[in-house]
Amino acid sequence: MSTAEDNVVDLETKKNHAAPPDVRKVKPPVDPDTLDHLKMKDGEFWRYMYDVDKATFLDYKWQMKNSLYKLDKLFDSLEGVAPKEFLDDAAEGFRRAPMAVRVTPYLLSLINWEDPWNDPIRTQFIPVASSMVLDHPMLKLDSLHEQEDAPVPGLTHRYPDKALFLPLNTCPVYCRFCTRSYAIGIDTETVEKVQLKVDPERWEQAFEYIASRPELEDIVISGGDAYNLAAKHILNLGTRLLEMDNIKRIRFASKGPAVMPMKILTDDAWLDALSRVNDLGRKLHKHVCLHTHFNTANEITDITRQAMNVLFERGITVRNQSVLQTGVNDNKHDMTRLVKRLGEVNVHAYYVYQHDMVSGVEDLRTSLQTNLDIEKWVRGSLAGFNTPTFVVDAPGGGGKRVAHGYEYYNRETGVSVYTAPSVKPGQFFTYFDPLHSLSEDMQARWQDPVEQRIMVDEALSAAQQGPR
Ligand SMILES: *Cc1c(COP(=O)(O)O)cnc(C)c1O
Ligand code: SF4
């Protein structure tokens, strides 16, 4: 079989037609930087912040107990580690942030505290006032309308064949950019209370609905986060769903592997429950997987590798969904490094999401153009099955659309328009680039409600005229 590559003939090679091909001339040696994804942090990298031995650091209970969500505790542990100006900046950030904060020692120990402002892990979890910018005027909480597509509480049935089940609303960490800030971790006091309220009674309503809809084949068990479900609940939820005739595939969604991989190494009950569900799935010829959420290669260490190896040995498929974020992974180098490192630990890069329109985290969003540019670079740099699909979760409930599949995109106003014929036929969905990615004139224009209408109408009517 001939490939495109075979047809690229190097002049050197052509000259020596009869001689055996010299492979070094066809492909020059790679720059060692391109193999950076292989160099994961190992050893006791946490020691500079936590003077504990390996067994303690790997103990998931220790990680949970020492996770920080109160400002003063966080500051105590950063005293002398982070610059004073940073602590002041973060204190103000905490006061203004819409989302609760919670972060594990594992993550804290991976942050570069010499320059925390530019660290991709800090950026995701610890708000700073200095980076906060104005929300786009078109932005709403629950921009995905998950509540509107919910036939019973905590079950979103948007696509015909699949549903999103939210059995709990707590997570091992809280991400600044969470789309479910309408439900997740409202404040630290309630978080502790709600955590106990994992409610198997409420789940029954969801099971009943799922069983009553023959078109439903695929259930995403999200949250919150499946890491926070007790082993018996993992087993119960998984078994109940797999035993339904209509259900063919289930996925547990958890940020856990990215923020506390040690749980897989030390919480035997939880791992065994997941394995048992996976084994049951195999027996019933139904697919069980774990969907996780790494956003930067810095989150993937040798501990992650050990944890992912355990899952791999047990035959548990792990897929990853990332969110494109400014300062985290919004350039071709960082995104490629992430995707390659995922491959290295046998995690399939499934999606990269355009950042949803969530209030209070405008600094994290990028323009759609950034997404398109990075996708072009990533595709082709590794195996196709390890290459994520870059998507926009169309605000207003259109569901996920391939980012470059827009009907119209005005790069000046920053308005893009999508359609989703199999999900919401006849409807148009708009996404808005963040103001900070637009010209100053355009930013001013967005402050005027009349101009807002004109810009949205322009995009919609252009989209209605059909393909560009
Ligand atoms: C993302 C999502 C799913 C799963 O979609 P896939 O493209 O199959 O990963 C299901 N329901 C809702 C509401 C979702 O947002
Ligand atoms: S882990 Fe997921 S659901 Fe939980 S806060 Fe982060 S983004 Fe939100």
Side-chain angles (χ1 to χ4, degrees), residues 73 93 110-111 138 152 226 228-229 267 310 382-383 385 399 409 436:
K73 290 237 180 83
L110 289 173
I111 292 172
M138 306 307 281
V152 302
N228 279 18
L229 285 169
D267 187 349
V310 168
L382 71 172
F385 53 79
Y409 179 23
H436 61 77

Side-chain angles (χ1 to χ4, degrees), residues 158-432:
R158 168 168 308 146
Y159 302 96
D161 72 326
K162 57 198 173 192
L164 176 67
F165 181 24
L166 311 176
L168 79 171
N169 64 354
T170 64
C171 305
V173 292
Y174 293 120
C175 314
R176 288 182 54 212
F177 49 89
C178 184
T179 6
R180 305 210 177 102
S181 47
Y182 67 86
I184 307 287
I186 302 121
D187 74 50
T188 44
E189 257 73 58
T190 49
V191 166
E192 294 308 307
K193 268 190 257 158
V194 172
Q195 210 153 11
L196 305 169
K197 274 205 215 151
V198 159
D199 183 3
E201 300 274 305
R202 172 170 68 83
W203 300 350
E204 287 304 321
Q205 288 180 50
F207 292 145
E208 223 171 277
Y209 177 84
I210 294 167
S212 75
R213 303 297 301 227
E215 76 274 31
L216 272 180
E217 299 188 347
D218 187 328
I219 306 295
V220 183
I221 303 164
S222 184
D225 193 301
Y227 242 43
N228 279 18
L229 285 169
K232 64 172 184 204
H233 291 317
I234 293 280
L235 198 57
N236 171 32
L237 285 168
T239 310
R240 285 292 295 273
L241 291 169
L242 287 175
E243 282 174 348
M244 291 180 198
D245 286 341
N246 54 323
I247 298 307
K248 307 286 157 52
R249 293 168 291 277
I250 65 170
R251 342 170 192 173
F252 288 99
S254 174
K255 178 99 180 144
V259 303
M260 203 200 291
M262 45 285 285
K263 183 177 168 92
I264 291 162
L265 300 171
T266 55
D267 187 349
D268 294 343
W270 192 88
L271 177 67
D272 287 343
L274 185 64
S275 284
R276 281 174 66 187
V277 175
N278 191 51
D279 293 345
L280 177 65
R282 273 182 190 225
K283 224 187 275 163
L284 298 172
H285 309 132
K286 298 182 176 189
H287 212 147
V288 175
C289 16
L290 182 62
H291 274 206
T292 189
H293 182 178
F294 291 96
N295 285 325
T296 155
N298 290 12
E299 290 160 341
I300 306 175
T301 64
D302 191 56
I303 301 175
T304 322
R305 188 207 291 273
Q306 291 172 40
M308 295 305 104
N309 283 351
V310 168
L311 296 178
F312 193 72
E313 283 163 21
R314 291 184 180 221
I316 297 170
T317 302
V318 187
R319 300 199 189 103
N320 188 68
Q321 314 192 162
S322 299
V323 179
L324 181 59
Q325 293 166 79
T326 307
V328 176
N329 52 23
D330 66 330
N331 62 67
K332 60 189 186 186
H333 173 77
D334 291 341
M335 186 61 82
T336 307
R337 184 165 163 260
L338 166 63
V339 172
K340 285 192 167 175
R341 194 170 281 184
L342 288 168
E344 179 62 18
V345 297
N346 291 310
V347 173
H348 288 273
Y350 177 36
Y351 282 140
V352 173
Y353 287 86
Q354 179 71 10
H355 196 301
D356 290 323
M357 301 212 294
V358 185
S359 179
V361 288
E362 275 299 85
D363 55 306
L364 293 179
R365 289 207 299 134
T366 68
S367 66
L368 175 62
Q369 188 62 47
T370 302
N371 182 321
L372 305 176
D373 292 343
I374 295 176
E375 195 277 344
K376 196 173 279 186
W377 183 267
V378 170
R379 185 161 301 279
S381 51
L382 71 172
F385 53 79
N386 267 344
T387 305
T389 306
F390 285 65
V391 294
V392 176
D393 208 342
K400 295 178 250 306
R401 312 309 301 168
V402 172
H404 56 248
Y406 51 81
E407 304 298 324
Y408 178 72
Y409 179 23
N410 183 329
R411 287 158 178 84
E412 248 123 64
T413 61
V415 185
S416 46
V417 184
Y418 289 86
T419 55
S422 62
V423 185
K424 301 269 162 82
Q427 286 189 36
F428 289 84
F429 303 92
T430 42
Y431 182 84
F432 301 91

